[in-house]
Amino acid sequence: MNDQVSGKFINTYWDTSTTRQESGVGSGDGAGVTGLTTSQLQAALPAGFTNAVWGNADNRTTPYLLGLSGNRVFSANDPSANLYTVIMNTAQLQGMQNNLSDRYVLGNTIEASGYTGFVPIGSGSKFFSGTLDGLGYTINNLVISSTSRYTGSSVVFFLVVSSQILACLAGV
């Protein structure tokens, strides 16, 4: 079995703070491979990254692909090495229902006009115990579906919360 990989890396980056790796290429040529600290990755998109393809929540997270669902990043608001899932749209916001204990950040302002059927996150027996950090972004024009149990003047985004919601504003 041959464990050798041949080829060339161009504009490749890795996080030296969280990986604690001094080199990004075993015994091969390190040309085109750059190690950056978490702070350096959060400070700005490195050379070779374009804003049309990559985001970093206005320098508050490590870089992530804009068109990819489930991006995992480090947040400038969390000094520990916790990973956060980036929420870019209303469908991903609703998808938080599938992992109520995860850490989430908004990657941009979410315009929810036209999205119907949003169900409150959590239930009476399964509550949101994760973290949602809005990073200063907002969720606008979100219409929340309710059942008779939740009608009246109360509109809820999270049905039951036992965790942190940080800097996240929702407009209805």
Side-chain angles (χ1 to χ4, degrees):
M1 183 163 144
N2 185 348
D3 291 331
Q4 295 288 329
V5 176
S6 62
K8 191 171 192 171
F9 292 99
I10 300 171
N11 296 329
T12 305
Y13 302 88
W14 85 94
D15 190 325
T16 58
S17 301
T18 57
T19 64
R20 296 182 178 91
Q21 298 295 316
E22 293 181 24
S23 173
V25 181
S27 61
D29 179 4
V33 181
T34 306
L36 299 173
T37 66
T38 302
S39 296
Q40 288 171 316
L41 285 167
Q42 289 169 333
L45 290 174
F49 285 66
T50 68
N51 290 333
V53 177
W54 292 90
N56 65 351
D58 291 330
N59 302 332
R60 292 178 297 220
T61 68
T62 49
Y64 52 87
L65 286 167
L66 294 174
L68 180 66
S69 177
N71 282 295
R72 303 284 288 171
V73 299
F74 296 102
S75 172
N77 291 342
D78 186 344
S80 61
N82 292 314
L83 282 170
Y84 288 74
T85 299
V86 180
I87 303 296
M88 301 290 294
N89 57 46
T90 314
Q92 292 172 354
L93 189 68
Q94 184 69 81
M96 291 171 51
Q97 186 77 273
N98 299 323
N99 190 346
L100 299 172
S101 62
D102 203 359
R103 293 176 179 89
Y104 300 95
V105 293
L106 293 184
N108 53 260
T109 291
I110 296 175
E111 176 52 54
S113 295
Y115 187 92
T116 59
F118 190 89
V119 177
I121 305 295
S123 68
S125 61
K126 295 181 181 180
F127 52 90
F128 181 75
S129 60
T131 300
L132 173 62
D133 188 343
L135 297 176
Y137 293 118
T138 60
I139 301 166
N140 299 321
N141 301 306
L142 181 64
V143 176
I144 299 173
S145 294
S146 63
T147 63
S148 59
R149 181 175 169 193
Y150 304 108
T151 58
S153 61
S154 297
V155 176
V156 292
F157 177 67
F158 288 98
L159 188 57
V160 180
V161 177
S162 73
S163 189
Q164 299 184 65
I165 310 297
L166 307 170
C168 184
L169 302 173
V172 291

